Amino acid sequence: MNEKISTVRKWWLVFFMGVVSATGPLSMDMYLPGLPEMQRAFHSSASTLQLSITFCLIGLAVGQLIVGPISDRIGRRVPLVVGFGLYAVTSLMLIFTTNIYLFIGIRLIQGLAGSTGQVLSRAVARDLFNGHELTKFYAMLMAVNGAFPIIAPIIGGALLSIVQWQGIFVLLFVIGILVMVGGIMYLTRNVEGNQQ
């Protein structure tokens, strides 16, 4: 990159990109403790409800094949903002969905939208750093990201002690909005300029 990033900004970037890249674990693992309650709410079998995990995973995988080339062509900010805007909208839709098959379909779209985080967290790091700095940043990013599969079910379980299962998707909606706003405010200044 062209200019040195301060230590404070680097740690903020690590945290922000860690949250961005944790879309997958948050989407997949946070609502696992709520599956029995959701099964009763949807009057569904466990195997049918578990398709919502499978379809989200498919979305996360396929979306990376689409988002990567698009972000290389038009930049990081727009795909991130659009992706997390869609992630927030689908999270909100899941709160009000009462049909299990519609729920599964929306989860596929949520996975597609969330895949932007998987791709762009690493792409932004490549844009901003190189050599030893890039290796160090990836190591810090993986440390932050590696914690989320462990803490996501704990967060979900804690939420379920005070709210119903929809509260988990409210939190995912809030995360989507915060990342979208962070992408608008932060990536505009730091990444788009470094790509030119």
Side-chain angles (χ1 to χ4, degrees):
M1 63 178 292
N2 297 329
E3 57 181 284
K4 193 79 171 172
I5 294 182
S6 69
T7 302
V8 172
R9 183 166 290 182
K10 186 184 294 185
W11 280 107
W12 157 247
L13 184 62
V14 169
F15 175 76
F16 179 69
M17 285 299 138
V19 173
V20 168
S21 66
T23 314
L26 289 174
S27 301
M28 302 290 295
D29 300 331
M30 192 163 4
Y31 84 121
L32 293 180
L35 288 179
E37 182 185 340
M38 294 171 68
Q39 186 180 337
R40 291 189 294 272
F42 283 111
H43 307 289
S44 167
S45 67
S47 58
T48 301
L49 183 58
Q50 287 167 5
L51 284 174
S52 66
I53 301 172
T54 304
F55 274 69
C56 183
L57 187 59
I58 291 170
L60 286 166
V62 172
Q64 293 182 59
L65 302 175
I66 300 168
V67 174
I70 291 174
S71 70
D72 287 339
R73 189 175 188 88
I74 67 171
R76 314 304 184 198
R77 181 172 53 94
V78 172
L80 185 116
V81 170
V82 171
F84 275 90
L86 182 60
Y87 184 84
V89 168
T90 53
S91 297
L92 194 62
M93 291 172 66
L94 290 168
I95 296 167
F96 300 103
T97 303
T98 56
N99 180 283
I100 183 60
Y101 297 105
L102 181 58
F103 184 88
I104 291 169
I106 296 172
R107 285 283 288 168
L108 174 65
I109 300 170
Q110 186 185 42
L112 288 167
S115 69
T116 58
Q118 306 284 338
V119 174
L120 296 180
S121 60
R122 289 149 183 84
V124 167
R126 276 199 325 270
D127 294 338
L128 294 176
F129 302 102
N130 53 53
H132 183 60
E133 284 293 310
L134 178 60
T135 305
K136 282 174 53 180
F137 186 83
Y138 273 150
M140 291 186 291
L141 183 62
M142 291 303 105
V144 173
N145 190 33
F148 278 99
I150 299 168
I151 65 173
I154 297 172
I155 294 170
L159 274 176
L160 288 173
S161 68
I162 54 175
V163 297
Q164 294 184 325
W165 64 266
Q166 291 92 337
I168 292 169
F169 293 98
V170 171
L171 179 57
L172 292 178
F173 165 75
V174 171
I175 290 170
I177 293 296
L178 291 176
V179 170
M180 184 177 68
V181 172
I184 293 170
M185 294 176 61
Y186 189 83
L187 294 188
T188 301
R189 249 190 348 263
N190 293 290
V191 175
E192 297 298 319
N194 282 294
Q195 287 182 306
Q196 294 171 358

